[in-house]
Amino acid sequence: MSEKTAKDVLEFIAREQVEVVDLRFMDFPGLWQHFSVPAHALDEETFEKGLGFDGSSIRGWQAINESDMLVKPVPDTAFVDPFTTHKTLVLICNICDPITGEDYTRDPRNIARKAEAYLRRSGVADAALFGPEAEFFIFDDVRCDQNEHEGYYHLDSIEGRWNTGRVENPNLGYKIRYKEGYFPCPPLDKLQDIRSEMMLTLEAIGVKTGKQHHEVATAGQGEIEIAFSPLVEMADKVLKYKYVLKNVAVRHGKTVTFMPKPLFGDNGSGMHTHVSLWKGGRNLFAGTGYAGLSDTALYAIGGLLKHAPALLAFTNPTTNSYKRLVPGFEAPVNLAYSQRNRSAACRIPMYSTSPKSKRVEFRCPDPSCNPYLAFSAMLMAILDGIENKIHPGDPLDKDIYDLPPEELSRVPKAPGSLREALANLEKDHAFLLRGDVFTEDVIETWISYKLKNEVSALELRPHPYEFVLYFDI
């Protein structure tokens, strides 16, 4: 369903005999939350006045003495849940304060809505189209624990190269070699049917897709393309994407993770994000400059590269993110741009010469991010680059592996840790505050939440590999 009113949704519920309405919203770090009501409990007033819930129980939100919040369903977002036993209609919601009626500043979807509104007010463009490529792993088994006296994880996959000698009664071989998962046919690729089911389920709920395929790593790494959409709509679709992939996997007795670097010694999962700006039906990034780009596109790249050290606090927001962003590999750690160099943070795809397809690919992000915040921060950096005509300098078209050390040292690098990215965000976030898109409260809460609950929490705990290195000292 799209461009629907509350009345349209209620008519659909009655016509299709929907039994349950599931109300969903995004918490601060980036996980979908929900509660359900019987379908008869929904009326037109619900869309106007909302339904109450306890905001103090949501990560990064209200204090216990200010806990009451409202969810307001958005009619355009309605889709039938393909996994529930009882026919369930899902509605994505905005979050509001019950006393003032204002949109909640820490609601990630509200931040994304404000970013789109700021874009239109700026006069630079009518729309920003995003196309993320969220990679993932499908595993057969995952076990992990961390307590006072032990810490470990164990992953397994029928495809995993480490299982070439396992007794499987029978072991039929066909285990994907490390870094050779792109694109072998079955029987090496054992997940074709599951990925197809994921792709077709996405299509069935209104998420238009492109190709699906195995990715580079062994042990079930994959990707399903999502067609370009405006910022808020695309962030909604990323959440639908994660929901569908996880639940299709569970249906088959498997599990999906969007963790950026679950395996040592093989490729991690990125979320290369394509973006273009449009005005009056024209792609503002198409031109006659380098790689077919306009000056507007080059300035957009300039903004992304200038603010990348701070941006990564939102686009790569986990400590695990920086296990993927490691120099010396294909990972996009070089804060430069190129039409082909995949180790550059910004790449200009050259698959098509059509002006409509001209776009910039920001290769740093990974799928652990909160897409509302990540896409909004990217857009604000792009607008800063355009409004201040920040030129990105010369492209990096050379083979990064052949660059002499002195020349390579002059290429700026992405932060090496989440702590470093958060420190950069603390220093450089004025561009995010324009138009009240992000607020000082949001920035401060994000930094303090991440430092306390993730960075410091990890630093306090012994790592299993430290026992390999140091136990016998």
Side-chain angles (χ1 to χ4, degrees), residues 363-383:
R363 293 178 59 82
C364 294
D366 67 55
S368 70
C369 71
N370 182 327
Y372 297 113
L373 302 182
F375 298 161
S376 298
M378 284 179 58
L379 178 59
M380 296 304 288
I382 285 169
L383 288 175

mmCIF file of all heavy atoms in Angstrom, residues 363-383:
data_model
loop_
_atom_site.group_PDB
_atom_site.id
_atom_site.type_symbol
_atom_site.label_atom_id
_atom_site.label_comp_id
_atom_site.label_asym_id
_atom_site.label_seq_id
_atom_site.Cartn_x
_atom_site.Cartn_y
_atom_site.Cartn_z
ATOM 1 N N ARG A 363 31.203 4.017 0.242
ATOM 2 C CA ARG A 363 31.477 2.608 0.498
ATOM 3 C C ARG A 363 31.775 2.294 1.966
ATOM 4 O O ARG A 363 31.894 1.126 2.338
ATOM 5 C CB ARG A 363 32.644 2.143 -0.375
ATOM 6 C CG ARG A 363 32.305 2.128 -1.852
ATOM 7 C CD ARG A 363 33.489 1.719 -2.719
ATOM 8 N NE ARG A 363 34.001 0.395 -2.408
ATOM 9 C CZ ARG A 363 33.476 -0.744 -2.857
ATOM 10 N NH1 ARG A 363 32.391 -0.722 -3.619
ATOM 11 N NH2 ARG A 363 34.020 -1.908 -2.547
ATOM 12 N N CYS A 364 31.889 3.302 2.798
ATOM 13 C CA CYS A 364 32.221 3.043 4.202
ATOM 14 C C CYS A 364 31.094 2.377 4.995
ATOM 15 O O CYS A 364 31.376 1.488 5.807
ATOM 16 C CB CYS A 364 32.611 4.343 4.896
ATOM 17 S SG CYS A 364 34.140 5.078 4.281
ATOM 18 N N PRO A 365 29.834 2.774 4.835
ATOM 19 C CA PRO A 365 28.785 2.284 5.755
ATOM 20 C C PRO A 365 28.683 0.768 5.822
ATOM 21 O O PRO A 365 29.056 0.056 4.881
ATOM 22 C CB PRO A 365 27.504 2.889 5.165
ATOM 23 C CG PRO A 365 27.951 4.101 4.433
ATOM 24 C CD PRO A 365 29.296 3.752 3.871
ATOM 25 N N ASP A 366 28.154 0.294 6.947
ATOM 26 C CA ASP A 366 27.877 -1.130 7.091
ATOM 27 C C ASP A 366 26.464 -1.310 7.635
ATOM 28 O O ASP A 366 25.856 -0.359 8.136
ATOM 29 C CB ASP A 366 28.929 -1.828 7.967
ATOM 30 C CG ASP A 366 28.912 -1.396 9.426
ATOM 31 O OD1 ASP A 366 27.842 -1.495 10.058
ATOM 32 O OD2 ASP A 366 29.963 -0.974 9.948
ATOM 33 N N PRO A 367 25.903 -2.530 7.535
ATOM 34 C CA PRO A 367 24.490 -2.728 7.859
ATOM 35 C C PRO A 367 24.163 -2.777 9.345
ATOM 36 O O PRO A 367 23.008 -3.028 9.700
ATOM 37 C CB PRO A 367 24.165 -4.062 7.174
ATOM 38 C CG PRO A 367 25.460 -4.795 7.125
ATOM 39 C CD PRO A 367 26.506 -3.735 6.928
ATOM 40 N N SER A 368 25.142 -2.522 10.215
ATOM 41 C CA SER A 368 24.830 -2.406 11.646
ATOM 42 C C SER A 368 24.246 -1.040 11.977
ATOM 43 O O SER A 368 23.806 -0.813 13.102
ATOM 44 C CB SER A 368 26.090 -2.643 12.488
ATOM 45 O OG SER A 368 27.007 -1.564 12.333
ATOM 46 N N CYS A 369 24.237 -0.125 11.000
ATOM 47 C CA CYS A 369 23.829 1.250 11.283
ATOM 48 C C CYS A 369 22.309 1.370 11.419
ATOM 49 O O CYS A 369 21.548 0.518 10.962
ATOM 50 C CB CYS A 369 24.320 2.194 10.183
ATOM 51 S SG CYS A 369 23.452 2.012 8.605
ATOM 52 N N ASN A 370 21.898 2.456 12.059
ATOM 53 C CA ASN A 370 20.506 2.885 12.065
ATOM 54 C C ASN A 370 20.307 3.665 10.761
ATOM 55 O O ASN A 370 20.857 4.754 10.609
ATOM 56 C CB ASN A 370 20.247 3.782 13.276
ATOM 57 C CG ASN A 370 18.814 4.237 13.383
ATOM 58 O OD1 ASN A 370 18.132 4.438 12.397
ATOM 59 N ND2 ASN A 370 18.353 4.434 14.614
ATOM 60 N N PRO A 371 19.549 3.138 9.782
ATOM 61 C CA PRO A 371 19.522 3.764 8.462
ATOM 62 C C PRO A 371 18.945 5.171 8.455
ATOM 63 O O PRO A 371 19.360 6.002 7.643
ATOM 64 C CB PRO A 371 18.662 2.803 7.623
ATOM 65 C CG PRO A 371 17.845 2.047 8.620
ATOM 66 C CD PRO A 371 18.712 1.925 9.833
ATOM 67 N N TYR A 372 18.003 5.460 9.351
ATOM 68 C CA TYR A 372 17.463 6.818 9.414
ATOM 69 C C TYR A 372 18.568 7.817 9.744
ATOM 70 O O TYR A 372 18.658 8.893 9.134
ATOM 71 C CB TYR A 372 16.364 6.909 10.477
ATOM 72 C CG TYR A 372 15.148 6.058 10.219
ATOM 73 C CD1 TYR A 372 14.843 4.973 11.041
ATOM 74 C CD2 TYR A 372 14.287 6.334 9.169
ATOM 75 C CE1 TYR A 372 13.717 4.198 10.828
ATOM 76 C CE2 TYR A 372 13.151 5.560 8.944
ATOM 77 C CZ TYR A 372 12.880 4.483 9.775
ATOM 78 O OH TYR A 372 11.764 3.710 9.551
ATOM 79 N N LEU A 373 19.395 7.468 10.726
ATOM 80 C CA LEU A 373 20.464 8.374 11.142
ATOM 81 C C LEU A 373 21.597 8.404 10.130
ATOM 82 O O LEU A 373 22.141 9.469 9.815
ATOM 83 C CB LEU A 373 20.990 7.957 12.516
ATOM 84 C CG LEU A 373 19.972 7.922 13.658
ATOM 85 C CD1 LEU A 373 20.659 7.543 14.969
ATOM 86 C CD2 LEU A 373 19.263 9.261 13.803
ATOM 87 N N ALA A 374 21.976 7.241 9.607
ATOM 88 C CA ALA A 374 23.092 7.166 8.663
ATOM 89 C C ALA A 374 22.788 7.946 7.387
ATOM 90 O O ALA A 374 23.613 8.753 6.919
ATOM 91 C CB ALA A 374 23.401 5.707 8.337
ATOM 92 N N PHE A 375 21.611 7.721 6.794
ATOM 93 C CA PHE A 375 21.270 8.412 5.548
ATOM 94 C C PHE A 375 21.101 9.911 5.784
ATOM 95 O O PHE A 375 21.498 10.727 4.942
ATOM 96 C CB PHE A 375 19.986 7.839 4.947
ATOM 97 C CG PHE A 375 20.056 6.380 4.565
ATOM 98 C CD1 PHE A 375 18.899 5.630 4.388
ATOM 99 C CD2 PHE A 375 21.283 5.746 4.380
ATOM 100 C CE1 PHE A 375 18.960 4.289 4.042
ATOM 101 C CE2 PHE A 375 21.356 4.398 4.036
ATOM 102 C CZ PHE A 375 20.185 3.669 3.859
ATOM 103 N N SER A 376 20.531 10.281 6.931
ATOM 104 C CA SER A 376 20.355 11.705 7.239
ATOM 105 C C SER A 376 21.703 12.399 7.386
ATOM 106 O O SER A 376 21.905 13.511 6.869
ATOM 107 C CB SER A 376 19.540 11.869 8.523
ATOM 108 O OG SER A 376 18.248 11.326 8.378
ATOM 109 N N ALA A 377 22.629 11.749 8.089
ATOM 110 C CA ALA A 377 23.960 12.343 8.269
ATOM 111 C C ALA A 377 24.680 12.472 6.936
ATOM 112 O O ALA A 377 25.335 13.488 6.661
ATOM 113 C CB ALA A 377 24.779 11.491 9.241
ATOM 114 N N MET A 378 24.559 11.453 6.088
ATOM 115 C CA MET A 378 25.162 11.536 4.749
ATOM 116 C C MET A 378 24.594 12.705 3.955
ATOM 117 O O MET A 378 25.341 13.471 3.325
ATOM 118 C CB MET A 378 24.910 10.235 3.976
ATOM 119 C CG MET A 378 25.775 9.069 4.385
ATOM 120 S SD MET A 378 25.386 7.575 3.424
ATOM 121 C CE MET A 378 25.672 8.140 1.734
ATOM 122 N N LEU A 379 23.273 12.862 3.987
ATOM 123 C CA LEU A 379 22.646 13.955 3.243
ATOM 124 C C LEU A 379 23.107 15.308 3.755
ATOM 125 O O LEU A 379 23.396 16.217 2.956
ATOM 126 C CB LEU A 379 21.119 13.844 3.338
ATOM 127 C CG LEU A 379 20.330 14.957 2.642
ATOM 128 C CD1 LEU A 379 20.662 15.020 1.155
ATOM 129 C CD2 LEU A 379 18.828 14.764 2.846
ATOM 130 N N MET A 380 23.222 15.457 5.058
ATOM 131 C CA MET A 380 23.655 16.740 5.614
ATOM 132 C C MET A 380 25.096 17.049 5.223
ATOM 133 O O MET A 380 25.447 18.208 4.961
ATOM 134 C CB MET A 380 23.493 16.730 7.129
ATOM 135 C CG MET A 380 22.043 16.595 7.606
ATOM 136 S SD MET A 380 20.940 17.867 6.953
ATOM 137 C CE MET A 380 21.491 19.288 7.891
ATOM 138 N N ALA A 381 25.954 16.030 5.154
ATOM 139 C CA ALA A 381 27.339 16.235 4.705
ATOM 140 C C ALA A 381 27.374 16.622 3.235
ATOM 141 O O ALA A 381 28.144 17.499 2.817
ATOM 142 C CB ALA A 381 28.155 14.969 4.949
ATOM 143 N N ILE A 382 26.530 15.970 2.437
ATOM 144 C CA ILE A 382 26.448 16.284 1.003
ATOM 145 C C ILE A 382 25.999 17.726 0.796
ATOM 146 O O ILE A 382 26.581 18.471 -0.015
ATOM 147 C CB ILE A 382 25.485 15.293 0.314
ATOM 148 C CG1 ILE A 382 26.164 13.932 0.146
ATOM 149 C CG2 ILE A 382 25.006 15.831 -1.032
ATOM 150 C CD1 ILE A 382 25.234 12.820 -0.272
ATOM 151 N N LEU A 383 24.970 18.139 1.514
ATOM 152 C CA LEU A 383 24.475 19.512 1.376
ATOM 153 C C LEU A 383 25.516 20.528 1.821
ATOM 154 O O LEU A 383 25.659 21.595 1.212
ATOM 155 C CB LEU A 383 23.186 19.684 2.183
ATOM 156 C CG LEU A 383 21.950 18.982 1.609
ATOM 157 C CD1 LEU A 383 20.766 19.116 2.553
ATOM 158 C CD2 LEU A 383 21.600 19.556 0.237
#
